């Protein structure tokens, strides 16, 4: 019991001795404080340089060359190229400048312009052929220089798509107006045709009535002829009269048949005219329900309105990039601490592993907390980062800093010089496979398979929840905490073995005992 008490007193002395030695080294304290600011400085410089890049797209210069010539189409003046240039000048998507072809080419070559939009001479003319027998598509020519800036080329590609949609809507609106006007005229013609069919049916009715009267008269005539033939005696002197009466009867019979056929035809005409009048009137009424104002042409040209809902709105590019930048800053800061602070060599021969470990790693822990605190203040007060939870953000910064420091010092203490080299490899792997910039689905097969085994993956995911997504970060904290405990545990085992074997050096063979004897 007394021996254990003395061991505890010795251990407490060693902890105090380590801190006393550190506090006497003002240069090292200054270095550690400066190192603690590295994550904050890195994130401030990195994020502030790209904080609102998409909000400054109207500063990207684009040349517009207009060769289009106006056209006259169905009584209207068509100047699609001119209208497009005016619309682009008013647009805030990019900085459009109407220039000559020669100036545009020089500007693209020397980097003054990032894209050239050329409107050909036949642009408006081709727009008037879309309803002809040989329609021609309107062509817009784009020239980019992706080698000068790949990201800007992607932005200008998006602008090119928007310009194409704008022109398509303008042309569609023009043709929609023409078609609606034509529909209106057709409707008026159908109304007139329907009225004419109604009048034709009325006329056919009147003709049929007259034909009926003629039929009745013909019947009466036939009766009279029969009576007259009966009354005329059959003698040679009356034979010519009898023959004339017979021919008259035959002609009257043919007239009767003709009148019957005419009556049937008039009945068919009357029925068809009535049906045509009803159909034409109904069609005209349907066409009358189609409005042909400018607002209808515009609706036909742009019939779809996208309704977008963002479950977690990100206000700017810097906020979206913050999780990745924070993770990199903390790991780089951890490497700096690992380079400048010796968390292994004891100031005197330790009697127990725990005071040795606690003396060294208490310094590392405090530096980690300082890193997280300085970074938090810069993010919130200097950069102006908005979050879903400030508490989650600060907690993740602390856990992330301590996890990276534990991992870095574990590699250096356990593996010596090779571990120092391995720290750099771990950084490179995390930069490429932690899904900080692109979704894991867009990365290589190797990166996607490595992703779940990297602590930076979970720090970035947790930071996204704390900054933009909201929700629980428990899983990410548990994973990082497990990595931190494992790293610290391995270092503690290393210290225990060194105390037991009375060896306190790195893998190069140098140890405290040998140094003391010299």
């Amino acid at each position: 019991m007394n021996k254990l008490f003395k061991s505890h007193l010795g251990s407490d002395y060693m902890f105090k001795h380590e801190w006393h030695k550190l506090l006497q080294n003002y240069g090292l304290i200054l270095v550690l404080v400066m190192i603690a600011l590295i994550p904050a400085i890195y994130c401030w410089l990195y994020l502030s340089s790209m904080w609102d890049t998409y909000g400054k797209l109207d500063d990207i210069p684009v040349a517009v060359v207009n060769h289009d010539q106006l056209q006259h189409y169905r009584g209207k003046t068509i100047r699609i190229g001119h209208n497009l240039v005016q619309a682009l000048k008013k647009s805030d998507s990019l900085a459009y400048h109407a220039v000559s072809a020669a100036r545009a080419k020089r500007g693209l070559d020397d980097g003054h312009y990032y894209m050239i939009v050329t409107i050909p001479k036949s642009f408006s003319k081709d727009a008037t052929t879309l309803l002809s027998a040989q329609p021609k598509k309107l062509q817009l020519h784009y020239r980019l220089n992706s080698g000068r800036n790949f990201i800007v080329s992607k932005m200008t590609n998006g602008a090119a798509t928007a310009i194409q949609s704008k022109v398509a809507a303008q042309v569609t609106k023009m043709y929609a107006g023409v078609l609606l006007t034509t529909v209106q005229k057709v409707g008026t013609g159908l109304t007139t045709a329907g009225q004419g069919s109604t009048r034709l049916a009325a006329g056919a009715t009147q003709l049929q009535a007259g034909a009926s009267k003629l039929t009745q008269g013909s019947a009466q005539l036939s009766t009279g002829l029969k009576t007259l033939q009966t009354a005329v005696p059959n003698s040679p002197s009356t034979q010519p009269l009898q023959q004339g009466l017979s021919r008259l009867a035959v002609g009257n019979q043919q007239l009767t048949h003709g009148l019957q056929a005419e009556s049937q035809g008039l009945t068919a005409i009357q029925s068809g005219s009535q049906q045509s009048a009803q159909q034409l009137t109904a069609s005209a009424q349907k066409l009358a329900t189609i409005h042909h104002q400018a607002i209808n042409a515009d609706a036909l040209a742009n019939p779809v309105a996208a309704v977008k809902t963002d479950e977690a709105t990100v206000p700017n590019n810097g906020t979206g990039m913050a999780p990745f930048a924070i993770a990199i800053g903390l790991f780089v800061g951890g490497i700096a601490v690992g380079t400048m602070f010796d968390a292994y060599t004891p100031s005197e021969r330790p009697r127990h592993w725990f005071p040795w470990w606690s003396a060294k790693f208490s310094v590392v822990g405090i530096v980690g907390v300082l890193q997280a605190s300085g970074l938090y203040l810069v993010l919130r007060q200097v950069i102006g980062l908005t979050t879903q939870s400030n508490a989650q953000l600060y907690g993740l910064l602390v856990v992330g800093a301590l996890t990276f420091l534990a991992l870095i010092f574990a590699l250096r203490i356990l593996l010596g010089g090779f571990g120092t080299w391995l720290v750099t490899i771990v950084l490179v792997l995390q930069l490429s496979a932690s899904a900080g910039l692109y979704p894991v689905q867009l990365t290589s097969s190797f990166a996607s398979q490595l992703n779940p085994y990297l602590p930076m993956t979970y720090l970035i995911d947790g930071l996204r929840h704390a900054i933009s997504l909201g929700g629980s970060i428990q899983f990410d904290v548990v994973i990082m905490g497990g990595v931190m405990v494992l790293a610290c545990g391995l270092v503690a085992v290393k210290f225990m073995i060194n105390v037991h074997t009375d060896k306190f050096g790195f893998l190069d063979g140098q140890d405290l005992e040998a140094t003391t004897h010299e």
Side-chain angles (χ1 to χ4, degrees):
M1 184 70 179
N2 187 39
K3 181 178 180 181
L4 182 63
F5 179 72
K6 290 182 179 179
S7 175
H8 173 73
L9 290 178
S11 299
D12 184 63
Y13 170 78
M14 181 178 180
F15 181 85
K16 292 180 179 180
H17 186 271
E18 286 285 349
W19 269 97
H20 178 75
K21 180 181 177 181
L22 173 63
L23 294 176
Q24 296 296 319
N25 192 341
Y26 300 111
L28 181 58
I29 293 176
L30 179 61
V31 169
L32 292 178
V33 171
M34 297 302 296
I35 289 176
L37 296 177
I38 287 179
I41 296 173
Y42 172 82
C43 288
W44 173 56
L45 293 175
Y46 184 75
L47 293 178
S48 61
S49 68
M50 59 175 65
W51 188 250
D52 194 19
T53 52
Y54 291 95
K56 298 179 180 180
L57 292 180
D58 55 350
D59 292 334
I60 297 178
V62 173
V64 182
V65 180
N66 182 21
H67 296 307
D68 186 36
Q69 295 181 347
L70 64 86
Q71 298 289 318
H72 297 285
Y73 180 70
R74 298 194 178 189
K76 294 183 178 180
T77 301
I78 310 300
R79 298 192 303 174
I80 298 179
H82 172 78
N83 295 338
L84 176 59
V85 172
Q86 297 304 312
L88 292 178
K89 285 183 177 180
K90 296 177 182 178
S91 173
D92 57 357
S93 60
L94 296 171
Y96 294 99
H97 303 275
V99 297
S100 65
R103 182 176 177 182
K105 186 179 184 306
R106 289 195 305 270
L108 185 66
D109 292 339
D110 62 23
H112 184 71
Y113 296 121
Y114 287 96
M115 180 173 69
I116 300 176
V117 181
T118 302
I119 306 171
K121 180 179 179 180
S122 61
F123 200 65
S124 293
K125 182 179 179 181
D126 292 341
T128 63
T129 67
L130 298 185
L131 295 181
S132 67
Q134 295 180 339
K136 296 181 179 180
K137 290 187 177 182
L138 285 73
Q139 294 185 351
L140 279 172
H141 301 283
Y142 303 97
R143 287 188 64 185
L144 307 173
N145 194 345
S146 300
R148 187 168 295 278
N149 193 303
F150 181 75
I151 293 179
V152 172
S153 71
K154 292 300 180 183
M155 294 178 179
T156 51
N157 275 333
T161 302
I163 293 173
Q164 182 178 345
S165 300
K166 189 186 297 291
V167 173
Q170 184 179 348
V171 175
T172 304
K173 182 178 179 180
M174 179 187 73
Y175 275 99
V178 172
L179 292 176
L180 287 175
T181 302
T182 303
V183 168
Q184 181 195 15
K185 293 179 180 179
V186 170
T188 303
L190 288 175
T191 301
T192 303
Q195 294 173 351
S197 294
T198 301
R199 290 193 293 268
L200 179 61
T205 301
Q206 294 175 357
L207 287 173
Q208 191 175 24
S212 297
K213 291 179 180 180
L214 286 174
T215 301
Q216 292 175 0
S218 177
Q220 292 174 359
L221 178 60
S222 177
T223 301
L225 287 174
K226 289 180 180 180
T227 302
L228 185 60
Q229 284 179 334
T230 303
V232 175
N234 188 6
S235 63
S237 60
T238 61
Q239 188 175 1
L241 179 60
Q242 287 285 354
Q243 292 176 349
L245 290 173
S246 296
R247 286 193 296 270
L248 184 60
V250 172
N252 183 58
Q253 186 177 7
Q254 292 176 347
L255 176 62
T256 300
H257 290 319
L259 288 173
Q260 290 176 351
E262 181 185 3
S263 178
Q264 292 175 355
L266 289 173
T267 300
I269 292 174
Q270 181 186 13
S271 177
S273 298
Q274 289 176 346
Q275 292 179 358
S276 297
Q278 292 173 354
Q279 293 174 354
L280 289 171
T281 301
S283 298
Q285 290 174 348
K286 291 180 179 179
L287 289 177
T289 62
I290 300 177
H291 298 276
H292 58 277
Q293 286 80 9
I295 188 174
N296 303 110
D298 184 66
L300 285 174
N302 300 278
V304 179
V307 180
K308 183 179 70 173
T309 302
D310 194 340
E311 297 295 331
T313 303
V314 177
N316 48 53
N317 182 66
T319 302
M321 292 290 294
F324 189 48
I326 291 170
I328 295 174
L330 288 176
F331 201 90
V332 171
I335 292 176
V337 177
T339 302
M340 299 303 300
F341 180 70
D342 182 1
Y344 176 77
T345 306
S347 58
E348 63 176 23
R349 185 173 301 279
R351 301 179 183 178
H352 194 271
W353 68 270
F354 181 75
W356 179 17
W357 178 89
S358 61
K360 293 294 185 179
F361 275 78
S362 62
V363 177
V364 174
I366 288 178
V367 174
V369 173
L370 289 176
Q371 286 182 332
S373 301
L375 179 54
Y376 177 81
L377 290 175
V378 168
L379 291 173
R380 295 286 296 135
Q381 303 300 324
V382 179
I383 298 178
L385 179 68
T386 57
T387 67
Q388 293 292 324
S389 172
N390 292 331
Q392 286 185 347
L393 174 62
Y394 182 73
L396 283 168
L397 295 179
V398 172
V399 174
L402 295 179
T403 299
F404 290 159
L405 285 170
L407 177 62
I408 291 168
F409 277 102
L411 291 175
R412 295 191 77 247
I413 293 173
L414 295 174
L415 302 178
F418 177 74
T420 301
W421 172 83
L422 195 58
V423 168
T424 305
I425 300 302
V426 171
L427 173 61
V428 173
L429 291 176
Q430 293 192 123
L431 291 177
S432 60
S434 61
L437 289 178
Y438 297 99
V440 67
Q441 294 82 0
L442 300 181
T443 58
S444 66
S445 176
F446 172 76
S448 61
Q449 293 178 9
L450 186 62
N451 176 268
Y453 303 102
L454 300 174
M456 189 176 288
T457 297
Y458 301 96
L459 176 59
I460 291 174
D461 182 70
L463 288 171
R464 284 173 176 159
H465 281 82
I467 295 173
S468 302
L469 296 175
S472 174
I473 60 172
Q474 181 178 356
F475 178 74
D476 299 307
V477 171
V478 168
I479 295 296
M480 288 188 292
V483 173
M484 178 173 56
V485 171
L486 177 62
C488 290
L490 291 175
V491 173
V493 171
K494 167 72 173 177
F495 283 9
M496 290 174 61
I497 294 175
N498 288 161
V499 170
H500 180 72
T501 59
D502 205 24
K503 298 287 185 179
F504 307 102
F506 290 96
L507 291 181
D508 56 10
Q510 182 182 13
D511 57 53
L512 182 62
E513 183 178 9
T515 304
T516 303
H517 286 309
E518 290 179 359

